[in-house]
Amino acid sequence: MTAKKRQETKTSLSSVIKRSFGALSVLLIFVLTACSSQNRATTPKEVRDLAGSPQAEEARKKTEKRLRSIVDAYDKKTPLTLALVTLEDVCSGGTAKQLFFPNGDDQYKVRCSLRLTAYYGAHPHHIGDVLDAIFTAGDHSATNGSPGETIPFNHDFYRKRLVGYYQGHGPNPSGPNATEPSQILSSSQSLSWDAIREAQRRLVQEPNPCLKADPPTIRCLREPAHRAVADVRKQHGMVFKLELPVTDYFEVSKKGEVSIG
């Protein structure tokens, strides 16, 4: 082999070694980065410690109290009778750094959320009067400047016609061929009820079974514990269901920043 050939071979081998070393360096940096506190998944112990912290507990109590005040407002200010409440309280840990298809779950150490749903009893022959009273309470809430915190449904054009329909004074507000209306929505609440005026009845369903309790990371309550929606319907004649959206009340970012809802 000539000196020139040997030099070319040496240069080529050196180039391969450099590229390999460079790739290994990048891989090592990636592994070290993935293991850093801001890029790894939160451990179960960390989730429990954060979910049980004084800050989390205070935020949990404050949020639950606010949501329950909304549930109680329907019981106190309308003809509806509160009969069953379900609560799901879950704290979950953040994932490891997501390089592909990120959804944001890698940005926090822990996130805690509450979901509250309430079931009320009502008389099936007085649906129009019940809805009218709910919208009147909503009118008062709007006048007081806090519709989102209590009852957000007022007497708008559609709801006036809805009351008239159920009181027997007017047509179906959704149209002559539409099914019986059984739900009203706002950005903060959903209120639905048994549709029982037509032959094909559409009833409020039973709540999902409770998650296995594991406080402080998982709480699941049904109050009263063994009451079913069917029991409420049997006692009162029909059921109304109030759904409040999932509320994030406590979050700690991977950078240690705390957000309280």
Side-chain angles (χ1 to χ4, degrees):
M1 181 181 293
T2 65
K4 182 178 180 181
K5 287 288 187 180
R6 285 198 299 272
Q7 183 61 37
E8 290 178 349
T9 301
K10 183 179 179 181
T11 301
S12 177
L13 181 60
S14 176
S15 178
V16 170
I17 291 173
K18 287 180 179 179
R19 287 199 300 270
S20 299
F21 181 76
L24 287 172
S25 298
V26 172
L27 180 60
L28 180 60
I29 291 172
F30 173 78
V31 171
L32 291 175
T33 301
C35 292
S36 70
S37 61
Q38 291 190 22
N39 292 287
R40 62 176 174 79
T42 316
T43 67
K45 183 180 183 306
E46 288 174 316
V47 173
R48 295 190 67 82
D49 289 345
L50 291 168
S53 68
Q55 278 184 303
E57 186 60 29
E58 183 180 354
R60 181 177 295 118
K61 290 180 179 179
K62 181 179 178 181
T63 301
E64 184 174 337
K65 181 179 180 181
R66 179 176 63 82
L67 296 179
R68 285 184 180 274
S69 71
I70 297 173
V71 168
D72 291 340
Y74 281 85
D75 182 58
K76 295 174 181 177
K77 299 179 180 181
T78 79
L80 295 175
T81 301
L82 181 60
L84 174 64
V85 175
T86 64
L87 178 148
E88 292 180 7
D89 179 8
V90 178
C91 293
S92 56
T95 65
K97 185 67 176 178
Q98 299 169 311
L99 297 179
F100 306 103
F101 310 110
N103 60 10
D105 288 347
D106 59 348
Q107 298 298 307
Y108 60 87
K109 291 182 180 180
V110 68
R111 175 181 289 162
C112 298
S113 306
L114 265 173
R115 179 197 295 271
L116 206 64
T117 304
Y119 300 83
Y120 304 83
H123 197 291
H125 296 159
H126 301 154
I127 301 176
D129 295 336
V130 170
L131 289 172
D132 191 36
I134 291 172
F135 302 154
T136 298
D139 293 336
H140 293 161
S141 295
T143 302
N144 294 331
S146 58
E149 293 300 313
T150 48
I151 300 175
F153 308 111
N154 54 23
H155 281 96
D156 65 8
F157 177 74
Y158 174 84
R159 294 173 195 142
K160 286 179 181 178
R161 297 181 65 199
L162 184 63
V163 170
Y165 165 74
Y166 273 110
Q167 290 180 336
H169 303 153
N172 188 329
S174 299
N177 299 318
T179 58
E180 177 186 353
S182 60
Q183 186 180 47
I184 48 177
L185 299 169
S186 77
S187 59
S188 60
Q189 299 178 24
S190 167
L191 184 67
S192 55
W193 55 90
D194 290 338
I196 55 179
R197 296 184 61 169
E198 299 176 346
Q200 189 67 34
R201 290 168 31 121
R202 290 174 286 116
L203 304 180
V204 171
Q205 300 299 302
E206 297 288 344
N208 293 326
C210 244
L211 301 171
K212 184 178 180 180
D214 186 23
T217 57
I218 299 177
R219 285 193 309 145
C220 188
L221 304 177
R222 180 182 290 203
E223 302 168 346
H226 302 294
R227 195 166 207 191
V229 169
D231 298 329
V232 179
R233 186 176 294 111
K234 183 177 181 180
Q235 179 181 356
H236 296 275
M238 69 173 297
V239 176
F240 276 71
K241 176 183 178 182
L242 174 68
E243 294 177 89
L244 304 179
V246 175
T247 301
D248 296 333
Y249 65 85
F250 181 73
E251 182 177 309
V252 180
S253 74
K254 288 287 182 70
K255 295 180 180 180
E257 299 167 341
V258 177
S259 176
I260 296 176

